[in-house]
């Protein structure tokens, strides 16, 4: 009888809910419990919260401590963290999971390539992972795949790489509500600027991490990596979106650009465009060099579903990996792993 990988999930927000539902339908993964700090969830089961109509009763806990109290030590092979974007905010949860005998995979954007923004924390987490014989990985659709690992892999046939340009164009109305809000949908242009500068909304997170991963993987030795301030995309007419009715002249999303320079030249450019009604949607990698490579995914990958696919597919690969802190460029080629089972 094949044995599923046991998963403890952190975070039952917008992504967390899609992850939970997909996870429960996936034969090779078993959800042992969910941790979310929202006090409204305390004492409830996943089924009560999601209204999934299932007969099983997976519990939701408000802390790892309370989960361990009920589920016992080493309750899962891996913890899937889908909570926050800043590594500082999830670092203690990662350490606690190692202590409890679990590997970690997370959607935290800063964890996708943490070595430059958080050098000391990265070293500490790597050391702690090795001490406990566990592995930690940050992944997702972007950062984690479309704007970093995909261009890295597409550069393989190139004898020479001059520049890399990746563009994502996304109709945000097809994405989760938390995404639509963090790109400013429904704000006035003035409020957008203030909210971005004060950190009240984050915009897209991870362009710098993606460029750093490409730089490291290809040995580009970039002199300078920066993300330009996000620019609002303004509605040219009144438009209804799933999160707000937006008046003409107000914000329907944003454009973000990340640049990696060497010798005053833009070597890596990442253009992230997400707004209500954006058309056509696509993801495109264009590598100038020899031979030149242009890869366009027509329609784009639906980011929320793609994120869930990435994080669930990486679970067996993380569990099988050597101990330590890794990024997507370090682990075996990602793939669909729905037919992978626990080896013992
Ligand atoms: N790499 C990628 O491609 C990718 C793709 C999609 C999303 N993400 C990232 O994934 C994260 C989750 O996204 P989301 O849209 O689901 O966010 P969300 O809707 O804000 O949900 C986050 C959930 O986690 C809970 N939470 C916060 N701190 C926690 C903790 N210490 N322990 C347990 N639960 C905690 C929150 O509770 P409260 O609301 O009570 O605080 C909330 O229920 C975000 O950081 C997002 O940017 C990355």
């Amino acid at each position: 009888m094949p044995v599923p990988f046991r998963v403890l999930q952190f975070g039952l927000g917008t992504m967390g809910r899609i992850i939970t539902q997909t996870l429960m339908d996936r034969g090779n993964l078993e959800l042992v419990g969910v941790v979310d700090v929202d006090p409204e969830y305390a004492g409830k089961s996943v089924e009560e919260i999601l209204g999934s109509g299932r007969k099983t009763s997976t519990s939701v806990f408000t802390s790892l401590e309370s989960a361990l109290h009920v589920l016992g030590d080493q309750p899962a092979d891996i913890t899937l963290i889908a909570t926050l974007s800043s590594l500082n905010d999830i670092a203690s949860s990662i350490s606690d999971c190692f202590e409890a005998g679990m590997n970690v995979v997370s959607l935290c954007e800063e964890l996708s390539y943490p070595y430059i923004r958080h050098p000391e924390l990265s070293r500490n987490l790597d050391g702690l992972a090795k001490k406990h014989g566990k592995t930690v990985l940050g992944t997702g659709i972007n950062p984690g795949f479309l704007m970093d690992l995909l261009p890295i892999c597409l550069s393989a046939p190139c004898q020479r790489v001059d520049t890399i340009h990746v563009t994502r164009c996304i109709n945000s109305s097809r994405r989760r509500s938390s995404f639509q809000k963090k790109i400013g949908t429904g704000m006035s242009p003035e409020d957008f600027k203030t909210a971005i500068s004060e950190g009240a909304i984050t915009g897209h997170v991870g362009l710098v991490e993606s460029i750093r991963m490409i730089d490291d993987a290809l040995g580009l030795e970039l002199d300078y990596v920066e993300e330009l301030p996000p620019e609002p995309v303004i509605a040219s007419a009144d438009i209804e979106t799933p999160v707000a009715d937006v008046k003409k002249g107000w914000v329907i999303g944003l454009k973000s650009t990340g640049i990696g320079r060497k010798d005053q030249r833009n070597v890596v450019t990442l253009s992230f465009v997400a707004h209500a009604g954006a058309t056509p949607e696509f993801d495109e990698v264009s590598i100038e060099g020899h031979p030149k490579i242009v890869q366009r995914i027509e329609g784009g990958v639906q980011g929320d579903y793609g994120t869930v696919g990435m994080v669930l597919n990486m679970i067996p690969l993380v569990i099988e990996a050597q101990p330590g802190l890794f990024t997507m460029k370090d682990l075996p080629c990602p793939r669909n792993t729905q037919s992978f089972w626990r080896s013992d």
Side-chain angles (χ1 to χ4, degrees), residues 91-308:
S92 64
S93 298
I94 297 174
S95 324
D96 292 346
C97 290
F98 291 156
E99 304 258 349
M102 295 180 283
N103 299 286
V104 176
V105 64
S106 175
L107 296 183
C108 171
E109 287 91 341
E110 287 187 1
L111 183 60
S112 66
Y113 194 85
Y115 311 106
I116 309 295
R117 207 186 286 270
H118 300 288
E120 198 181 332
L121 190 49
S122 303
R123 269 194 303 278
N124 290 346
L125 287 173
D126 184 54
L128 213 52
K130 286 176 176 150
K131 180 178 156 202
H132 290 280
K134 299 297 162 199
T135 306
V136 56
L137 171 78
T139 190
I141 198 71
N142 170 211
F145 186 67
L146 288 173
M147 292 184 118
D148 36 49
L149 190 68
L150 187 61
I152 289 168
C153 292
L154 285 171
S155 75
C158 297
Q159 295 172 21
R160 193 190 75 241
V161 170
D162 299 328
T163 61
I164 297 176
H165 193 152
V166 188
T167 308
R168 291 194 74 196
C169 186
I170 298 166
N171 177 359
S172 54
S173 294
R174 294 176 58 227
R175 298 290 304 272
R176 66 192 192 281
S177 54
S178 51
F179 176 80
Q180 295 178 55
K181 286 179 191 152
K182 78 178 179 181
I183 60 167
T185 311
M187 289 184 157
S188 69
E190 297 72 32
D191 287 350
F192 175 90
K193 272 192 194 151
T194 312
I196 287 281
S197 64
E198 290 177 351
I201 57 167
T202 58
H204 177 68
V205 183
L207 293 184
V208 166
E209 281 70 15
S210 289
I211 297 175
R212 295 284 189 199
M213 197 195 303
I214 296 171
D215 184 15
D216 187 0
L218 271 64
L220 299 175
E221 297 185 340
L222 297 172
D223 302 325
Y224 189 63
V225 174
E226 73 168 335
E227 181 179 342
L228 307 180
E231 291 170 37
V233 177
I234 304 298
S236 53
D238 291 0
I239 176 171
E240 276 178 36
T241 77
V243 294
D245 291 344
V246 186
K247 290 194 212 99
K248 181 180 173 183
W250 285 43
V251 176
I252 50 170
L254 55 70
K255 287 184 191 174
S256 280
T257 307
I259 293 170
R261 289 200 186 88
K262 186 172 172 68
D263 299 334
Q264 323 269 335
R265 243 172 14 101
N266 290 355
V267 177
V268 181
T269 307
L270 306 185
S271 307
F272 183 92
V273 182
H275 61 88
T279 183
E281 289 187 272
F282 63 91
D283 303 313
E284 186 175 278
V285 178
S286 176
I287 303 178
E288 291 292 340
H290 183 65
K292 176 181 166 124
I293 306 250
V294 179
Q295 163 78 60
R296 185 172 166 110
I297 303 175
E298 298 291 355
V301 178
Q302 207 284 1
D304 300 335
Y305 302 140
T307 299
V308 176

